Structures are given as C-alpha cells and as structure tokens.
Amino acid sequence: MKYSAPRGTVDILPDASGKWEKLERILRTIASNYHVKEMRTPIFEHTELFNRAVGDTTDVVTKEMYTFEDKKGRSITLRPEGTAGIARAYVENKMYALPEKLTKVFYMGPMFRYERPQSGRQRQFHQFGVEMLGVESPYVDVECMMMAITVVKALGLENVTLHINSLGDEESRDAYRKALQDHFRPVLSDLCEDCNARFEKNPLRILDCKVDAKHEAMKTAPKTIDYLSESAKAHFDKVCALLDDLEVDYVIDTNLVRGLDYYSHTVFEIISDDPKLGAGATVGGGGRYNGLVEEIGGPATPGVGFAFGLERLMIALNDNEDDDEGIDAYIMPLGEEARDLGMQISAVLRANGFSVDMDYAGRGFKGQFKSADRFKATYSLLLGEDEVKGEYVNIRDNKTKEQEQVPFEDIVSYLEKGLGL
Ligand code: HAM
C-alpha cells in the first residue's frame, strides 16, 4: 500500500520551511508594531458554533466543513476559519470584562475547508488573522485595514487593491433584505435550488451563488450601500474619510458582500492582480461583526477583523534571497574514537550557543566536505587520527580555506573570536 497526503493538503518540506518562517516572522513583527497579541484557540470546535457564527446558509457551513462525531457522539468540526473560535473564547474567558476595552489579538494556523483544490486553494490551508473586539469605532476598522495593507506592502506584493463596502447595521440590512427579495422574486423560478432556499432565509447569500453568477438579475441587484441607515452611512463615511486622510488607495466595491454571515457595516478585501496568483485573487478579507459575540451568547460586543491566506501570501512573496544562514560549525570525525570526541565537542559548542552539526554517516572527508558546503558551515572541525591523539582539532575556515590546529580547550574561544561574538 502506498500512502499519499489527502487531496487538498500539502507537506511543507524542510527546504520550504525557511520561507514560511520568514513570512511568519514578518507577520509577527507587524502584529507587534500594531500592539496585537497572539491568541491560540483549538483547531476543532463544536459544530454548532460555526453553524451559528458563520451562518447555516453559507457555502462554508453547508458544503465545506470537515464535521465528524467524536467517540461520545458529539458533533465536532475542524475550524474553517478563526473568527468564531476567537469570539467563543472571548466570551468563555470573559475577556469583555478586561480593564482594557479594546482587545486586539492575532492567530496563525491551519484552517480546513472542503473545497476544490487549485493553485492557492487547499483543503487544509493557513490563515493569519486579526480580531479587534470591544470598541465600535470607524478608527478601529481603519486600524485593521492599515494593518492588512502593511502586510501586503511588507511582502512586496504588487498590484493590490483595497476593496471596501458597507453592509450597514441591522436596520439597513432589514431594508436591504426586502429590496433583494423584491428584486429576485420575479425571477425566482430561473434560479437554482440553493438560491430558492436562500431567498427566504438569507437573500444576501444569493449574491455569492456560483451557479447563477451570470444571471442578469445578479448584475442589476440592489446595492447595500443604497440602503444604509443614517448612522451606518455616517460610520462608513468616516471610514472613507480616515482612509483619505491616510492617503490609502481604495475602491468602493458595492458588490462586495463576503461569504460569511456575521458581517455588518464595513467589509473589505485585498485583491491582487499579481500574475503569480492569477488576476483578481483575494489574498485577504474581513470586516466588522457587531452582532457575532451576542449571537453566540456573550454580551453585545462590537468586533472587526480580517484574515489572510498564507499559501496565497507565500506564492506572492518575492523571495529570491537565500535565507538559509547556515551553521557555525560542522564536525567531521574519522573513526569511532573521533566520533565519540565529536559528540563531546558538539555538546559543548551547542551549550555555548553555536549552531552545530556533525557527520554520523561514517563517510570519508570528501563526502563530509560536501555536507559542510551544503550546510553553509562557517567552519569545519576536522577530527582525524592525528587530531585525536594530539587532542586538537583542525579548524578550517570554509571561506578562506585556511586551516589551523586548535587544542580542544580553546575551540569555544576560537569560534567566538572568529564569529565576532
Ligand atoms: P475568508 O474570506 O473566508 O474570511 O478567508 C480569508 C482568506 O483566507 C481568503 O482571502 C483566502 O486568502 C484564504 N482562504 C480561504 N479559503 C482558502 C482555501 N481553501 N485555501 C487557501 N486559502 C484560503 C475569513 O475566514 C474571516 N474569518 C476573516 C475575518 C476575520 N473576518 C473578520 N475577522
């Protein structure tokens, strides 16, 4: 039997992990610049949480969830996104009662959606997400968008556009819902079964139907922005004014409704035309979700956030430079006695903070020199018969190719000096 990774999953091999680490490092640095701390929630949650939070008419919930029963018959789902888990943990840990009203957190980790795999789309993928809970202010919406823009800029992504829209508050959405129903009612029989079901329950979801996407009625559908209540409009106007003041380029995209149900007010996406991703790829998106915390049993708490797909950022990340810094020393023993000594030396060197590797394959110097090269070792520590007898190592500077005999007890200070420590 030959085993292969399940469809839609990939192995990140050691050669690629350096680039992943680099990406994660950049994201963590940006989070720290925005004073956003990490929060880790479980990778699986009770299914009911996602039905409630993400919405049981969304594609994510109806078609894409990895749901199973655990041994006690509880329905469990691998998280398809991060916001629901953060909101659940925020309520469960009473974070709304913290002295600081605004809680700003980020998360980074795997998410699971049963989708058709293609470039930049997997069944197990990774997100970097940010959630800001507790304060309903357009300033916080803009802080989120600024942070998202900082990410794409830091990664050198080209041809990216910030698309924004407003779904408004409850009052706006009620009016919009009615307008949508009036609009789609006459053509309902043309639309797919799913759309018919959505018509009563959640007509907004008709707009992201993939089957009927080309139907004429989709193009002429009413726009959320025309149904905003006065206060929702004021919120959105302030968001736009702040973006203008900060000289951020953005497009008001009245078709943007997002695929998850918890949104209200501002929604946004970062769309890239970078040729590596294919035209119009969404690298990240988010928005405000003022009703979510209450929906899942917490006190009324506003929130706003976004998430990036890390695979998409990885594809886009310009990365020609070699990030592999290499090791400080590669120990090259010949024979068992030398290997025993090499073990001792490597232990001492590592305890002193050096990065060290050693040959265990029992090869001759020729093969070991090749490894030293591949590992980009600054120094090779040669331990042959003579060295063992004389209680010294031959330290070779792999750049200058110069070699020097160094007594065992002086190796640490020799390397410290050589590496400028
Ligand atoms: P989302 O738009 O569903 O939002 O996902 C955010 C990003 O995750 C997408 O823009 C995309 O880059 C990436 N993504 C989604 N599905 C896949 C997939 N199958 N393979 C690879 N990448 C994928 C959310 O998940 C919200 N929780 C964002 C948010 C946070 N809103 C408020 N706070």
Side-chain angles (χ1 to χ4, degrees), residues 80-83 107 113 115 120-123 125 127 130-131 258 260 262-263 269 282-287 289 304-309 311-312:
E81 60 99 54
T83 313
Y107 48 90
R113 294 186 194 179
E115 291 193 86
R121 187 186 296 162
Q122 293 169 196
R123 290 183 174 170
F125 61 100
Q127 276 187 353
V130 170
E131 311 296 347
R258 309 269 304 135
L260 314 159
Y262 45 63
Y263 293 112
E269 282 186 350
T282 305
V283 283
Y289 46 85
V304 56
F306 65 90
F308 278 103
E311 280 73 13
R312 294 181 195 183

Side-chain angles (χ1 to χ4, degrees), residues 112-179:
F112 306 83
R113 294 186 194 179
Y114 193 86
E115 291 193 86
R116 213 157 64 84
Q118 57 193 65
S119 167
R121 187 186 296 162
Q122 293 169 196
R123 290 183 174 170
Q124 175 174 339
F125 61 100
H126 298 79
Q127 276 187 353
F128 167 75
V130 170
E131 311 296 347
M132 300 192 181
L133 292 127
V135 173
E136 183 179 3
S137 159
Y139 290 90
V140 188
D141 302 27
V142 173
E143 166 122 325
C144 273
M145 291 186 219
M146 291 303 287
M147 194 172 165
I149 291 166
T150 306
V151 168
V152 289
K153 279 204 179 137
L155 301 177
L157 259 173
E158 281 171 36
N159 309 328
V160 286
T161 331
L162 171 66
H163 287 232
I164 66 170
N165 191 20
S166 174
L167 305 180
D169 49 17
E170 220 165 297
E171 185 190 333
S172 328
R173 274 177 309 153
D174 281 348
Y176 182 60
R177 199 184 139 93
K178 281 204 190 75

Side-chain angles (χ1 to χ4, degrees), residues 192-243:
C192 74
E193 212 176 292
D194 282 350
C195 281
N196 274 269
R198 291 165 182 145
F199 180 79
E200 284 303 335
K201 270 186 114 175
N202 191 353
L204 192 79
R205 290 274 74 87
I206 297 179
L207 298 174
D208 46 40
C209 176
K210 284 168 193 118
V211 181
D212 293 320
K214 296 219 159 69
H215 194 286
E216 195 50 37
M218 293 288 189
K219 288 178 217 141
T220 54
K223 315 276 184 217
T224 56
I225 211 151
D226 296 326
Y227 293 85
L228 297 185
S229 67
E230 230 167 86
S231 68
K233 187 165 182 322
H235 185 102
F236 190 56
D237 286 346
K238 183 69 187 180
V239 167
C240 295
L242 287 169
L243 290 174

